Amino acid sequence: MTALEELVAREYFERNGFFFKRLHEGGPEAPHVQKPKAKTKEARLHPTYLVHRETGRIQNEPLGERFQLFSSDLGGLALAAVVFFGWGTPGLHLQVFQSGARYRSWIRNEVLPAYQASIEKALAQTSLPGTPVRVVLLPGLPASEPYRQECIDLLKGAGVEALYSFRTLLESLVGQVHPGPDVASSAISELIRLLKVYELVPPPQMDLFDDF
């Protein structure tokens, strides 16, 4: 994930009453480090975060049948461990994102092993006050079937309990930030405010990615 994506995620959760703490760095190792070749590919660690409600509540409400979560679901969330796969994740580019079959393969080959390695390491090294919901944060999910359900089944099989899309975060922030003269609380909110001032943000009904 990029530094900008992390700022967006931090802004989203902190605006909604959560602490947002990085549990480990993740990311690729330095290119100059030489390692002996292995028969199996070692899973890459990705940035993992603890999302904890500021009120101190640690008991999550049951998710029921919900898997992809939206801002309306935040009220039931108290404690979560979130692994973030942003646009800088290896193998992901626009053509993959727009193809249900290729996006499903990307989730299977890149996301699943990295998610499991990242969250297990983060939870093993961290003392938590309760049991967190295991969440993955992805660029999105295919809108068309069978790819959408197949991606969900793959993620659930890897131990993922819930998913947030990066688009959900962005849409929520765009809706919360107003173009008025109020002092912006962060660089992200100031950027969104300026985009609205110059009418560069499309109306909510216009979809940038119709299939996701």
Side-chain angles (χ1 to χ4, degrees):
M1 66 175 295
T2 65
L4 179 62
E5 288 171 323
E6 181 176 13
L7 287 174
V8 170
R10 181 177 298 278
E11 178 79 6
Y12 174 79
F13 285 108
E14 290 183 350
R15 271 181 169 267
N16 286 285
F18 292 87
F19 293 115
F20 186 78
K21 176 185 177 183
R22 180 177 282 213
L23 297 178
H24 66 66
E25 294 296 319
E29 295 181 357
H32 64 275
V33 176
Q34 187 70 28
K35 281 194 169 185
K37 293 183 179 180
K39 291 183 179 180
T40 57
K41 180 182 176 182
E42 186 175 348
R44 178 189 306 265
L45 294 179
H46 280 256
T48 305
Y49 301 86
L50 178 66
V51 176
H52 188 192
R53 189 166 289 280
E54 293 177 357
T55 60
R57 178 165 65 91
I58 61 173
Q59 185 65 44
N60 293 300
E61 295 180 3
L63 292 173
E65 297 298 318
R66 291 170 296 169
F67 182 73
Q68 183 173 3
L69 303 182
F70 300 91
S71 295
S72 58
D73 298 304
L74 283 173
L77 188 67
L79 186 67
V82 183
V83 184
F84 198 156
F85 293 85
W87 280 94
T89 305
L92 179 64
H93 49 79
L94 186 59
Q95 288 74 24
V96 171
F97 184 70
Q98 293 177 327
S99 167
R102 295 176 68 183
Y103 194 74
R104 176 192 56 197
S105 296
W106 174 75
I107 285 180
R108 178 189 296 113
N109 299 328
E110 180 62 38
V111 172
L112 298 189
Y115 170 84
Q116 292 175 317
S118 300
I119 200 161
E120 293 303 331
K121 178 179 179 180
L123 296 181
Q125 296 179 347
T126 307
S127 177
L128 299 177
T131 303
V133 177
R134 297 184 176 214
V135 180
V136 67
L137 182 53
L138 292 176
L141 278 178
S144 59
E145 298 294 355
Y147 305 114
R148 177 184 176 83
Q149 188 59 49
E150 288 173 353
C151 288
I152 291 174
D153 292 341
L154 286 171
L155 292 166
K156 286 183 175 180
V160 178
E161 295 175 316
L163 173 147
Y164 270 103
S165 74
F166 192 66
R167 174 174 177 162
T168 293
L169 274 58
L170 283 174
E171 285 184 336
S172 176
L173 291 176
V174 168
Q176 291 182 51
V177 175
H178 299 284
D182 296 340
V183 177
S185 60
S186 69
I188 292 295
S189 58
E190 176 62 11
L191 174 60
I192 295 173
R193 189 185 74 82
L194 289 174
L195 290 173
K196 285 191 168 184
V197 166
Y198 291 106
E199 299 181 347
L200 297 176
V201 177
Q205 66 270 21
M206 293 181 65
D207 292 330
L208 295 179
F209 301 104
D210 290 335
D211 295 332
F212 284 77

